Amino acid sequence: MTAYRARLTEVDIRRLIKATDDDERAEAAHKLCRNMERADLGEEDRAAAHKILRLLANDAAELVRRAMAVTLKASDLIPNDVARKLAGDLDSIALPVIAASPAFSDEDLIEIVRAGSAVRQVAVAGRARVSRDVAQVLADEGCDLAARTLAANDNADLSEASLGVLVDRFGDKPEVLTAVAYRQVLPMSVTERLIQLASDAVREHLISRHAVAPETAIRLAQYARERTTVDLVDQAGVSADLASFMTQLNARRVLNASLLLRGLARGQMAMFEYGLAELANTPHHRAWLMVHDAGPLGLKAIYDRAGLPPRLFQAFRAGVDTWRALAAEGIDTSSAIFREQMLERFLTQRPNVLRDDLAYLMERLDQAPSHAAGAANAA
């Protein structure tokens, strides 16, 4: 190993072998590693260098091990067994190697991720290259900071499925969603999902960067808000002040036919009544009388006064009739069973519903059996 040994003074070698002071030995280890990295080593010299590195990796002094890890963190001189040993060491030693060493296989990196250390997951996620298999495990099992780092790394090979997992797992983490949104390339399916979840600023970026039509973005965002609103009313059961709630929705310009139809199809008659009253600028008691008028004219009159689309009236008529028929059967109108039966019967009538509304309602119908089973068990 004369190629690099000649560059060391006798003092350097003596300090490395004999010095008892950790700082002095760490400095000598740094110089030795730096010169080994710079030298043009043949096969025999390289094997000898590996032996030295194994000795350094087992050194009792943290400073010596760290000097080697930092100096050779991105070097191809470190063999796989030494890299794995350093990766299991203290964070100050492991992290530089995990983040940069080419010695690791995908299996090694997956093992590091699954060990569960957040800082080490982040180190893997930020590597100069992250393979598809490693990226998938990070998406499936990584912490939120690792997910954010992975999404922000355009050299990470993230499949459409992995991106979908990130959106699923971290839909409530704006920093992760933003990192995904600002990737160089995004599948359209992921872009459309992000538009529903992201902030206005990120949504504008997606529209301009990924060629999403503005009307598509607006439509998706609107549907997301409406679904959330109906779900909140569903979960709340009976609102303490539906009148004020409807007034707030109207002020935000999200109280519309689509929202009211979804609410009615889920059995939320009070929501429908108060929504009509708000849009028609009519007291609730008067709206109630017109909605539940046994004749054909009351509902039509309040519906027209609310300014709702004429083409959807028959769908609302079907919803009101279905609600009235179920209520006459004695089913508790506030129960989950009522809401599920309401939706099922409403859809079997094939009302004149917009395709996107129908798709949403069918989603809720698909979920209904499990809810019904839970209610039955509870009873």
Side-chain angles (χ1 to χ4, degrees):
M1 302 180 69
T2 56
Y4 65 82
R5 190 172 283 170
R7 295 186 178 91
L8 295 173
T9 67
E10 292 182 6
V11 175
D12 295 321
I13 298 172
R14 190 180 304 112
R15 286 168 63 194
L16 178 61
I17 297 173
K18 297 183 178 181
T20 57
D21 181 80
D22 289 351
D23 288 339
E24 189 177 8
R25 291 174 58 241
E27 184 180 345
H30 164 69
K31 187 170 183 181
L32 176 60
C33 290
R34 184 183 61 193
N35 281 284
M36 283 194 294
E37 168 67 8
R38 292 175 178 175
D40 183 14
L41 302 179
E43 185 175 342
E44 184 179 344
D45 286 342
R46 194 173 185 87
H50 287 174
K51 290 180 180 179
I52 292 176
L53 294 179
R54 290 185 180 100
L55 290 173
L56 291 175
N58 284 290
D59 197 287
E62 176 186 345
L63 284 176
V64 173
R65 304 195 306 278
R66 175 167 169 73
M68 179 181 69
V70 172
T71 305
L72 298 179
K73 61 184 180 183
S75 173
D76 62 0
L77 185 61
I78 293 184
N80 177 264
D81 62 303
V82 173
R84 288 173 59 88
K85 184 172 183 59
L86 294 174
D89 210 322
L90 301 171
D91 283 348
S92 62
I93 297 165
L95 294 179
V97 178
I98 292 173
S101 178
F104 296 111
S105 66
D106 282 356
E107 290 73 20
D108 295 330
L109 295 172
I110 289 171
E111 183 179 339
I112 291 169
V113 171
R114 287 180 169 161
S117 166
V119 291
R120 298 183 188 209
Q121 289 179 349
V122 171
V124 173
R127 285 171 61 89
R129 176 186 170 276
V130 181
S131 73
R132 179 161 293 204
D133 289 344
V134 176
Q136 182 67 60
V137 175
L138 278 165
D140 290 337
E141 304 178 29
C143 66
D144 54 354
L145 185 54
R148 177 182 181 182
T149 303
L150 179 70
N153 184 356
D154 274 312
N155 291 319
D157 185 3
L158 278 162
S159 65
E160 183 171 350
S162 295
L163 289 167
V165 169
L166 289 176
V167 176
D168 287 338
R169 289 189 63 208
F170 301 104
D172 60 343
K173 300 286 185 181
E175 62 276 11
V176 177
L177 296 181
T178 300
V180 173
Y182 276 79
R183 288 184 64 80
Q184 294 294 319
V185 178
L186 278 179
M188 183 55 69
S189 63
V190 176
T191 301
E192 291 185 348
R193 292 186 61 197
L194 285 170
I195 286 172
Q196 300 180 49
L197 298 170
S199 65
D200 290 340
V202 173
R203 191 175 297 123
E204 289 178 10
H205 168 80
L206 289 166
I207 294 169
S208 61
R209 180 62 183 268
H210 296 285
V212 178
E215 57 271 21
T216 300
I218 293 170
R219 175 174 56 82
L220 287 169
Q222 179 182 355
Y223 289 160
R225 287 194 300 269
E226 290 171 359
R227 293 179 191 192
T228 300
T229 303
V230 175
D231 289 341
L232 286 173
V233 174
D234 257 357
Q235 295 163 15
V238 179
S239 173
D241 192 354
L242 264 178
S244 296
F245 185 42
M246 293 299 115
T247 299
Q248 292 171 13
L249 293 181
N250 196 25
R252 290 161 45 200
R253 298 185 179 181
V254 295
L255 181 60
N256 53 35
S258 177
L259 174 61
L260 291 179
L261 185 59
R262 286 173 175 157
L264 179 59
R266 287 288 293 157
Q268 297 293 347
M269 177 59 74
M271 175 184 176
F272 176 57
E273 295 164 1
Y274 277 98
L276 280 181
E278 171 65 26
L279 291 173
N281 195 24
T282 299
H284 172 256
H285 71 273
R286 181 169 176 77
W288 186 95
L289 288 171
M290 298 177 77
V291 168
H292 297 283
D293 183 357
L297 301 180
L299 178 61
K300 184 67 165 62
I302 188 70
Y303 184 90
D304 289 344
R305 182 168 179 177
L308 297 174
R311 71 181 187 280
L312 288 180
F313 175 71
Q314 290 306 319
F316 280 98
R317 174 84 271 173
V320 171
D321 291 345
T322 301
W323 188 93
R324 187 177 295 142
L326 279 173
E329 294 176 15
I331 302 175
D332 180 2
T333 59
S334 65
S335 69
I337 293 176
F338 180 91
R339 291 194 294 271
E340 287 152 11
Q341 291 193 16
M342 172 75 192
L343 176 56
E344 185 174 0
R345 289 197 194 180
F346 176 70
L347 291 175
T348 57
Q349 297 182 49
R350 297 185 179 277
N352 178 25
V353 183
L354 292 176
R355 185 173 61 182
D356 293 286
D357 290 322
L358 189 60
Y360 168 69
L361 295 173
M362 289 300 293
E363 275 180 23
R364 299 306 301 265
L365 182 59
D366 288 341
Q367 298 170 9
S370 61
H371 298 315
N377 292 336

